[in-house]
Structures are given as C-alpha cells and as structure tokens.
Amino acid sequence: MSGPTHSRRHFLGAAAAAVAAARFGARNSEGDGERDGAQARSTSRTPGVDPTVDSAIRTSFGPVKQINAGDLSVGYVEAGPANGQAVLLLHGWPYDIHSYIEVAPLLAAKEYRVIVPYLRGHGTTRFLSSKTPRNAQQSAFAVDVIALMDALKIDRPILAGYDWGSRTGDIIAALWPERCKALISVTGYLIANVEANKMPSPPKNEWAWWYQYYFATERGVLGLEKYRRDLANLVWRFNSPTWKFDEATFDRTAAAFGNPDYVGIVIDNYRWRLGLAKGERQYDALEKRLAAAPVIAVPTITIDGAHDPFTPPGNGSAYRKKFTGKYAHRTLDVGHNVPQEAPHAFAGAVVDVDRF
C-alpha cells in the first residue's frame, strides 16, 4: 500500500460496448539466455460519467496479454480502440488489475485505449531473467511502466493510479513529463524520501503502518508467505472500512498474489522505504532526483478517500504546492481503493483531466 496467476475471462463484447457507449455521457465539470529465449507477444455526483451504465458489462476482463518490456514480461489487459487516447491504470498493494474492473469499460466506451498492467510481482507479470534482482524501490516501477509504454508504442498516456500506482504515476509525471499527458493521483503526492522516512510520525499514523514494521522482520516474511490471503483481506478491511466487498471480489484479486515473486517484491518495497533494503546502483541517479521532491507540472486531478486511513488532513492542502500545472482536487466518500469503490467518479476524473 501507499503508502495473482490470472484466469482468462471474456471482457467486453461489441454489444455490451455499444450499450455502454450509448449510456456513458460526458457532462461539463471542473540480456541473458532466458531473456533472449522469451518471445514478446502482445499476443457525490460524478463529473463526466453517466451513472446508469449497465453493471452487467463490468464483471470480468478478457484474456490477459503478455509483452516483453524492460526486465519483465508484463501481463496486462486492454480495452477500447487501438487509436484512442491511451490511459494506463496502475494498481496498488495488496490489490491488482481488478481495481479497474468497472473503470476500464467506462473509459473504453468513451473511445479511450485502456491498458491495465500487473505490476512486478503480481499476476502474470514475470521477470525475464532469474538473475534480475527482485528490486521494488520506487523508481524501478516507474522504469517498468516507461518500458511498457515503449513496448506498446504509447507516447503520452494519461496515467491514473492509487497506492503504489499513484507513486509510480507521480514519478513519471515529475521526471518524464513529456511522457505523460495528464495525471490522476489518489492521495496526492506520494514520491518517497527514504531519509525523511527515518523520522517518526505521530503514533496514530505509525499504528496504521503496522505491516511495514512486520515486514521488516523475518517473522513478517514468513507471515506474508503463509498468510498472504488473510493478511491482504485484513488490510482491505482496514483501508476501506465502508466498502462491503464480497468473497468473490476478494478471491478474484487474491489470485494475483500467487506470483512467485510476490513476497520478495512486497518485502523489498517496504524495507526499501524504511531504509532497510538497498536499491540498485542503476537507479541511484533517479532516486537522487526524487529525493529533491520535484514538482509535477502536468495537468492533474488528485483524489482523497474520506475514509482512507492514509489520507492526509486538509482536503489536499498537504500536497497542493507539489502540483504546479492545471489542477483540481476531489474528496470522495470512500476508502483507500478509490477506483473499485467509486468507479464512476474515478473514470469521470480521467475524462475531466483529459480536457484540462
């Protein structure tokens, strides 16, 4: 959190897309042998979205595609026309691509090309080489997404995310603004500063981050390995106290935690953020730039969940100065997993930021 092997299902048929398109109306509003042998294959009222879209078309994704990009074979789903404005939807932890199960068809019906990738360590995304360090520092995820954009020949997508996905989008928007048309960032500015993270927060905040300290221990590593589903379910309920998800919804995402690198990636991510795991030298220059807390100048809408325990006080004021371009902020009556708890509002924000 900010802070699956995936079954193949049929996604969005032509008839369903036609229904959605008819109803989805916009409103005015504010290296080695392993690598060489791997074959790339691509084988409140919501602004911008009509709330009457038929929920029956938003039940599953289609076949998960794979494409070689950088160090990874990235698993992703795609919807919408190939020539549409690209939107990359980035998930967090402990979640997966299904956070966007309702957002993706809403955007596809508005003629966006929607790409939803599994981040490293999740779902069908795999490292191309067993020799690649299972590194999970923040800049590695951003480099992964840039590599995916290059592999898919996407120049300037709209980046939208929450949790790990927000941080990744923030980094790309800050360091490579020419590769980002606009940004949706839940919980605002999440670029991490490892040195700053060494300083304690108020006890209530530290308590909410209990799993970070758990993962700093070998007991935590064993606990995540053995109880990955139970732990994720507990985190879901804590993060989103008003979200009444059912067992099938959780199970659909929990499959993503079966990735062989899941535990290693999660542990390294949180240990790195606490200064307990070293990053790779190849990312040092990027991390030095990120430590300076660069501003984000691309058009941005930030979103807070009113019931998210990690939302800073002040209705976005805590990070407002970090966004210097055209900007809007919204607070929604949901918890941490904003796109899955409020899909119409999230999709509406994407449509709106595209008009900035």
Side-chain angles (χ1 to χ4, degrees), residues 148-159:
L148 176 62
M149 290 161 54
D150 290 343
L152 293 174
K153 296 179 169 48
I154 294 172
D155 185 27
R156 293 179 67 235
I158 297 168
L159 298 176

PDB file of all heavy atoms in Angstrom, residues 148-159:
ATOM      1  N   LEU A 148       7.046  -0.410 -20.627  1.00  0.00           N
ATOM      2  CA  LEU A 148       5.782  -0.917 -21.163  1.00  0.00           C
ATOM      3  C   LEU A 148       5.214   0.044 -22.199  1.00  0.00           C
ATOM      4  O   LEU A 148       4.733  -0.377 -23.267  1.00  0.00           O
ATOM      5  CB  LEU A 148       4.783  -1.125 -20.023  1.00  0.00           C
ATOM      6  CG  LEU A 148       3.377  -1.562 -20.443  1.00  0.00           C
ATOM      7  CD1 LEU A 148       3.413  -2.922 -21.141  1.00  0.00           C
ATOM      8  CD2 LEU A 148       2.443  -1.600 -19.233  1.00  0.00           C
ATOM      9  N   MET A 149       5.252   1.334 -21.911  1.00  0.00           N
ATOM     10  CA  MET A 149       4.785   2.329 -22.866  1.00  0.00           C
ATOM     11  C   MET A 149       5.556   2.225 -24.177  1.00  0.00           C
ATOM     12  O   MET A 149       4.971   2.279 -25.273  1.00  0.00           O
ATOM     13  CB  MET A 149       4.921   3.724 -22.259  1.00  0.00           C
ATOM     14  CG  MET A 149       3.940   4.002 -21.136  1.00  0.00           C
ATOM     15  SD  MET A 149       4.430   5.402 -20.066  1.00  0.00           S
ATOM     16  CE  MET A 149       4.671   6.706 -21.258  1.00  0.00           C
ATOM     17  N   ASP A 150       6.870   2.057 -24.085  1.00  0.00           N
ATOM     18  CA  ASP A 150       7.687   1.922 -25.284  1.00  0.00           C
ATOM     19  C   ASP A 150       7.322   0.653 -26.056  1.00  0.00           C
ATOM     20  O   ASP A 150       7.205   0.672 -27.289  1.00  0.00           O
ATOM     21  CB  ASP A 150       9.167   1.901 -24.925  1.00  0.00           C
ATOM     22  CG  ASP A 150       9.686   3.243 -24.424  1.00  0.00           C
ATOM     23  OD1 ASP A 150       9.002   4.264 -24.655  1.00  0.00           O
ATOM     24  OD2 ASP A 150      10.768   3.264 -23.792  1.00  0.00           O
ATOM     25  N   ALA A 151       7.157  -0.458 -25.330  1.00  0.00           N
ATOM     26  CA  ALA A 151       6.837  -1.724 -25.992  1.00  0.00           C
ATOM     27  C   ALA A 151       5.487  -1.660 -26.705  1.00  0.00           C
ATOM     28  O   ALA A 151       5.311  -2.255 -27.779  1.00  0.00           O
ATOM     29  CB  ALA A 151       6.845  -2.858 -24.969  1.00  0.00           C
ATOM     30  N   LEU A 152       4.539  -0.942 -26.136  1.00  0.00           N
ATOM     31  CA  LEU A 152       3.208  -0.817 -26.722  1.00  0.00           C
ATOM     32  C   LEU A 152       3.105   0.371 -27.674  1.00  0.00           C
ATOM     33  O   LEU A 152       2.033   0.640 -28.216  1.00  0.00           O
ATOM     34  CB  LEU A 152       2.165  -0.674 -25.610  1.00  0.00           C
ATOM     35  CG  LEU A 152       1.968  -1.897 -24.717  1.00  0.00           C
ATOM     36  CD1 LEU A 152       1.020  -1.567 -23.561  1.00  0.00           C
ATOM     37  CD2 LEU A 152       1.438  -3.084 -25.519  1.00  0.00           C
ATOM     38  N   LYS A 153       4.235   1.090 -27.843  1.00  0.00           N
ATOM     39  CA  LYS A 153       4.275   2.259 -28.719  1.00  0.00           C
ATOM     40  C   LYS A 153       3.249   3.321 -28.297  1.00  0.00           C
ATOM     41  O   LYS A 153       2.526   3.887 -29.111  1.00  0.00           O
ATOM     42  CB  LYS A 153       4.073   1.849 -30.178  1.00  0.00           C
ATOM     43  CG  LYS A 153       5.198   0.956 -30.698  1.00  0.00           C
ATOM     44  CD  LYS A 153       4.970   0.552 -32.134  1.00  0.00           C
ATOM     45  CE  LYS A 153       6.223  -0.108 -32.737  1.00  0.00           C
ATOM     46  NZ  LYS A 153       6.819  -1.161 -31.893  1.00  0.00           N
ATOM     47  N   ILE A 154       3.216   3.558 -26.994  1.00  0.00           N
ATOM     48  CA  ILE A 154       2.359   4.593 -26.420  1.00  0.00           C
ATOM     49  C   ILE A 154       3.242   5.765 -26.023  1.00  0.00           C
ATOM     50  O   ILE A 154       4.197   5.602 -25.250  1.00  0.00           O
ATOM     51  CB  ILE A 154       1.599   4.062 -25.188  1.00  0.00           C
ATOM     52  CG1 ILE A 154       0.615   2.968 -25.611  1.00  0.00           C
ATOM     53  CG2 ILE A 154       0.871   5.190 -24.476  1.00  0.00           C
ATOM     54  CD1 ILE A 154      -0.041   2.262 -24.442  1.00  0.00           C
ATOM     55  N   ASP A 155       2.933   6.930 -26.525  1.00  0.00           N
ATOM     56  CA  ASP A 155       3.797   8.085 -26.319  1.00  0.00           C
ATOM     57  C   ASP A 155       3.447   8.853 -25.043  1.00  0.00           C
ATOM     58  O   ASP A 155       4.249   8.958 -24.125  1.00  0.00           O
ATOM     59  CB  ASP A 155       3.714   9.012 -27.528  1.00  0.00           C
ATOM     60  CG  ASP A 155       4.698  10.181 -27.431  1.00  0.00           C
ATOM     61  OD1 ASP A 155       5.734  10.026 -26.761  1.00  0.00           O
ATOM     62  OD2 ASP A 155       4.424  11.229 -28.032  1.00  0.00           O
ATOM     63  N   ARG A 156       2.221   9.398 -24.975  1.00  0.00           N
ATOM     64  CA  ARG A 156       1.836  10.271 -23.858  1.00  0.00           C
ATOM     65  C   ARG A 156       0.469   9.848 -23.314  1.00  0.00           C
ATOM     66  O   ARG A 156      -0.546  10.479 -23.586  1.00  0.00           O
ATOM     67  CB  ARG A 156       1.788  11.727 -24.305  1.00  0.00           C
ATOM     68  CG  ARG A 156       3.124  12.326 -24.676  1.00  0.00           C
ATOM     69  CD  ARG A 156       2.974  13.774 -25.131  1.00  0.00           C
ATOM     70  NE  ARG A 156       2.558  14.634 -24.031  1.00  0.00           N
ATOM     71  CZ  ARG A 156       1.477  15.422 -24.048  1.00  0.00           C
ATOM     72  NH1 ARG A 156       0.656  15.429 -25.093  1.00  0.00           N
ATOM     73  NH2 ARG A 156       1.201  16.194 -23.024  1.00  0.00           N
ATOM     74  N   PRO A 157       0.442   8.801 -22.514  1.00  0.00           N
ATOM     75  CA  PRO A 157      -0.831   8.387 -21.946  1.00  0.00           C
ATOM     76  C   PRO A 157      -1.257   9.273 -20.789  1.00  0.00           C
ATOM     77  O   PRO A 157      -0.452  10.032 -20.229  1.00  0.00           O
ATOM     78  CB  PRO A 157      -0.537   6.975 -21.431  1.00  0.00           C
ATOM     79  CG  PRO A 157       0.902   7.057 -21.013  1.00  0.00           C
ATOM     80  CD  PRO A 157       1.551   7.947 -22.063  1.00  0.00           C
ATOM     81  N   ILE A 158      -2.512   9.185 -20.435  1.00  0.00           N
ATOM     82  CA  ILE A 158      -2.970   9.670 -19.133  1.00  0.00           C
ATOM     83  C   ILE A 158      -2.622   8.574 -18.138  1.00  0.00           C
ATOM     84  O   ILE A 158      -2.921   7.396 -18.368  1.00  0.00           O
ATOM     85  CB  ILE A 158      -4.483   9.926 -19.142  1.00  0.00           C
ATOM     86  CG1 ILE A 158      -4.827  11.021 -20.151  1.00  0.00           C
ATOM     87  CG2 ILE A 158      -4.977  10.309 -17.742  1.00  0.00           C
ATOM     88  CD1 ILE A 158      -6.321  11.133 -20.435  1.00  0.00           C
ATOM     89  N   LEU A 159      -1.966   8.934 -17.056  1.00  0.00           N
ATOM     90  CA  LEU A 159      -1.614   7.978 -16.007  1.00  0.00           C
ATOM     91  C   LEU A 159      -2.571   8.159 -14.836  1.00  0.00           C
ATOM     92  O   LEU A 159      -2.781   9.288 -14.378  1.00  0.00           O
ATOM     93  CB  LEU A 159      -0.180   8.193 -15.543  1.00  0.00           C
ATOM     94  CG  LEU A 159       0.908   8.004 -16.601  1.00  0.00           C
ATOM     95  CD1 LEU A 159       2.273   8.353 -16.017  1.00  0.00           C
ATOM     96  CD2 LEU A 159       0.908   6.577 -17.128  1.00  0.00           C
TER      97      LEU A 159
END
